[in-house]
């Protein structure tokens, strides 16, 4: 029975591949334009934005700095999210640098047995997020023309992300394996523990710095080439599906779910596009004829969902590990729903006069810009990363000190 099912799946994959190939030939002009647009997005935005952080992440792991940070953050991450402290580095890099660096770091942690299979599945599900400069620069300013909306989108995105991370702490399937070290901070001196972890990791790696730097650059560039391929591929696939008319079939299905919530039909095309790629979906949402509040809510959901293009990148980042993607896909759906609801509540709470913002949006002429130069973007992302890690470490140390005081007081009174 299972063999027959596998045969049907293989046949289906082959038919899909043939269908896509024929479509590429028929709609070659549209496919070429979509590929150029995807290449532009990758080369102008994704490559320069992610390359430095990919290289830095590789170097920090090779030097043992990530293990040092992990030991310091264990008192925070383990009780709240049921992931090792070292996972906080993946979360911080994901928050600061965007898709898919959180997944890349999680995959590396799992390969080095620094987290269990289930911990890796928890971690990749909420460490892979959009970066704040994309939401503020590209979406709020570049697409909607309103910097104020960037704060709402970012707050909704990160609040809902943390909600998903907390919910996933209860994800504990029976297949949970026990092959990774469940590191707990048992030493009184947490700094001593952190430095011991740093020295141990550095001795284990033992590559000269020159080799470490070269390996980091080589692996980072190869990873970004893979990401570029996914961006171009899904840009082409989205355009082909639109040209063929498959989007029209999906329209009636999505309209059925939108109708009870009062959303306009003009948001259906952005949702369909956002299923595959967040930039195009967000742009189309900003250009729809729906009320601005509805545009923002749908855009927030699209960004949180992140699109099949990012999902494929995540699958590639965790390739070679036993991390399963079903929890990740579930978390993307959950994140999209939570982000949309949180955006709605924030719009109500902040009581923005959206009617006055509409006139500014109409002057954009459909242009997408990041509004920031490369060095300004890089410096702001670096500052956000340092600030975030420093805040998490400070909070973790406070929690550790409180625990130690509680334990000492307990022993004193007993």
């Amino acid at each position: 029975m299972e063999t027959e099912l596998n045969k049907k799946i293989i046949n289906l994959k082959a038919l899909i591949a043939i269908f896509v190939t024929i479509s590429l030939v028929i709609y070659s002009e549209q496919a070429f334009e979509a590929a150029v647009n995807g290449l532009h997005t990758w080369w102008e935005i994704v490559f320069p934005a992610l390359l430095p952080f990919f290289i830095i992440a590789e170097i920090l792991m090779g030097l043992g700095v990530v293990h040092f940070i992990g030991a310091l953050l264990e008192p925070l991450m383990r009780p709240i999210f049921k992931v090792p402290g070292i996972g906080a580095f993946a979360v911080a890099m994901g928050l600061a640098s965007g898709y898919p660096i959180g997944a890349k770091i999680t995959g590396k942690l799992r390969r080095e047995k620094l987290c269990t299979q289930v911990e890796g599945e928890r971690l990749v599900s909420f460490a892979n997020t959009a970066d704040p400069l994309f939401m503020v620069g590209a979406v709020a300013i570049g697409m909607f023309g309103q910097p104020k909306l960037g704060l709402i989108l970012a707050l909704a995105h990160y609040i809902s992300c943390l909600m998903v991370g907390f919910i996933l702490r209860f994800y504990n399937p029976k297949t949970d394996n026990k092959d990774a070290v469940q590191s707990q901070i048992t030493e009184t001196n947490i700094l001593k523990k952190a430095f011991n972890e740093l020295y141990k990791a550095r001795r284990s790696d033992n590559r000269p710095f020159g080799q470490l730097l070269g390996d980091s650059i080589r692996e980072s560039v190869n990873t970004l080439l893979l990401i570029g391929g996914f961006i171009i591929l899904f840009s082409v696939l989205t355009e082909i599906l639109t040209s063929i008319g498959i989007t029209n079939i999906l329209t009636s299905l999505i309209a059925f779910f939108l109708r009870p919530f009062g959303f306009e039909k003009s948001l259906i095309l952005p949702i369909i596009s956002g299923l595959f790629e967040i930039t195009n979906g967000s742009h189309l949402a900003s250009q729809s004829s729906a009320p601005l509040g509805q545009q923002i809510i749908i855009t927030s959901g699209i960004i949180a969902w992140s699109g099949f293009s990012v999902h494929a990148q995540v699958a590639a980042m965790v390739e070679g590990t036993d991390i399963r993607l079903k929890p990740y896909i579930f978390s993307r759906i959950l994140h999209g729903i939570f982000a949309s609801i949180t955006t709605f509540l924030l719009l109500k709470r902040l009581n923005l006069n959206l009617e006055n913002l509409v006139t500014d949006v109409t002057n954009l002429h459909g242009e997408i810009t990041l509004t920031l130069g490369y060095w300004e973007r890089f410096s702001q992302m670096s500052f956000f990363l340092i600030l975030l890690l420093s805040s998490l470490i400070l909070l973790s140390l406070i929690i550790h000190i409180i625990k130690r005081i509680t334990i000492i007081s307990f022993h004193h009174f007993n």
Side-chain angles (χ1 to χ4, degrees):
M1 183 70 180
E2 187 177 348
T3 306
E4 288 296 323
L5 180 61
N6 289 336
K7 287 181 179 179
K8 290 180 180 179
I9 293 174
I10 292 172
N11 291 336
L12 179 62
K13 290 178 179 178
L15 288 174
I16 292 173
I18 293 170
F19 175 75
V20 171
T21 304
I22 295 173
S23 301
L24 280 171
V25 174
I26 296 173
Y27 299 100
S28 56
E29 185 177 349
Q30 293 90 329
F32 177 79
E33 291 178 358
V36 171
N37 291 333
L39 178 62
H40 171 78
T41 300
W42 173 73
W43 180 250
E44 296 290 337
I45 300 173
V46 176
F47 190 90
L50 291 183
L51 180 61
F53 292 95
F54 274 25
I55 295 173
I56 289 170
E58 291 288 338
I59 291 175
L60 290 178
M61 292 197 72
L63 293 176
V65 176
V66 174
H67 302 74
F68 174 84
I69 295 172
L72 293 179
L73 289 170
E74 189 79 17
L76 174 66
M77 298 300 290
R78 181 72 66 183
I80 298 176
F81 301 111
K82 278 193 176 180
V83 296
I86 202 169
F89 181 72
V91 174
M93 290 294 287
L95 292 175
S97 308
Y99 306 115
I101 192 169
K104 175 178 170 59
I105 295 173
T106 302
K108 192 171 183 67
L109 294 179
R110 179 58 190 147
R111 291 184 192 95
E112 295 183 3
K113 304 295 183 182
L114 296 173
C115 64
T116 66
Q117 177 187 20
V118 173
E119 287 171 349
E121 290 168 358
R122 291 189 189 117
L123 187 57
V124 77
S125 296
F126 77 101
N128 204 50
T129 61
D131 68 273
L133 293 183
F134 170 76
M135 289 182 280
V136 176
V139 179
I141 299 176
M143 298 179 190
F144 286 95
Q146 290 298 328
K148 293 180 181 179
L149 298 180
L151 177 62
I152 293 176
L153 289 171
L155 279 176
H157 190 76
Y158 295 136
I159 289 172
S160 56
C161 173
L162 294 176
M163 290 168 61
V164 170
F166 182 76
I167 289 173
L168 285 173
R169 78 185 304 277
F170 303 104
Y171 165 68
N172 190 26
K174 295 179 181 178
T175 55
D176 190 0
N177 56 338
K178 307 294 182 183
D179 61 336
V181 178
Q182 297 288 325
S183 81
Q184 299 286 344
I185 301 298
T186 55
E187 296 185 24
T188 303
N189 192 334
I190 190 174
L191 289 176
K192 181 180 177 182
K193 169 70 175 179
F195 279 110
N196 286 339
E197 290 294 325
L198 186 149
Y199 299 143
K200 188 190 303 180
R202 185 60 189 138
R203 285 196 301 268
S204 177
D205 187 283
N206 204 31
R207 283 177 293 175
F209 183 77
Q211 181 183 351
L212 175 61
L213 179 61
D215 291 345
S216 300
I217 294 173
R218 186 182 304 109
E219 184 171 344
S220 299
V221 171
N222 287 338
T223 301
L224 281 166
L225 286 172
L226 182 66
I227 292 171
F230 279 119
I231 291 173
I232 294 171
L233 174 63
F234 276 89
S235 180
V236 171
L237 288 177
T238 304
E239 183 62 33
I240 287 177
L241 290 176
T242 303
S243 300
I244 292 173
I246 291 181
T247 53
N248 295 330
I249 299 174
L250 295 174
T251 297
S252 57
L253 179 63
I254 296 176
F256 175 78
F257 291 100
L258 288 182
R259 195 175 297 115
F261 300 99
F263 285 97
E264 287 198 3
K265 289 185 178 180
S266 61
L267 291 169
I268 295 176
L269 182 59
I271 292 173
I272 294 173
S273 180
L275 287 174
F276 295 91
E277 209 280 317
I278 58 174
T279 306
N280 290 334
S282 301
H283 182 223
L284 289 174
S286 70
Q287 297 299 305
S288 70
S289 59
L292 185 57
Q294 293 186 12
Q295 294 178 16
I296 300 166
I297 292 170
I298 293 300
T299 300
S300 183
I302 289 172
I303 295 172
W305 161 251
S306 72
F308 290 128
S309 176
V310 172
H311 300 342
Q313 295 171 35
V314 170
M317 296 301 105
V318 300
E319 180 67 29
T321 72
D322 53 4
I323 293 177
R324 294 160 293 201
L325 290 179
K326 286 183 179 179
Y328 171 78
I329 297 298
F330 171 76
S331 71
R332 292 303 92 210
I333 297 172
L334 205 60
H335 194 186
I337 295 171
F338 284 173
S340 296
I341 295 173
T342 307
T343 302
F344 171 77
L345 295 176
L346 285 173
L347 288 173
K348 291 289 185 182
R349 179 69 177 173
L350 297 176
N351 197 24
L352 289 178
N353 192 348
L354 298 179
E355 289 77 11
N356 293 337
L357 298 180
V358 175
T359 54
D360 295 328
V361 178
T362 58
N363 295 325
L364 292 178
H365 303 294
E367 297 179 4
I368 303 177
T369 60
L370 283 175
T371 71
L372 294 174
Y374 172 74
W375 289 113
E376 186 180 358
R377 178 178 171 84
F378 176 75
S379 63
Q380 290 194 19
M381 291 171 72
S382 301
F383 174 77
F384 181 77
L385 175 61
I386 294 171
L387 180 63
L388 180 62
L389 277 175
S390 301
S391 302
L392 290 175
I393 290 173
L394 178 61
L395 181 60
S396 182
L397 290 176
I398 292 172
I399 292 173
H400 176 71
I401 292 171
I402 293 173
K403 283 184 176 180
R404 296 303 306 175
I405 293 174
T406 304
I407 292 172
I408 293 172
S409 300
F410 178 80
H411 287 303
H412 176 74
F413 289 110
N414 287 275

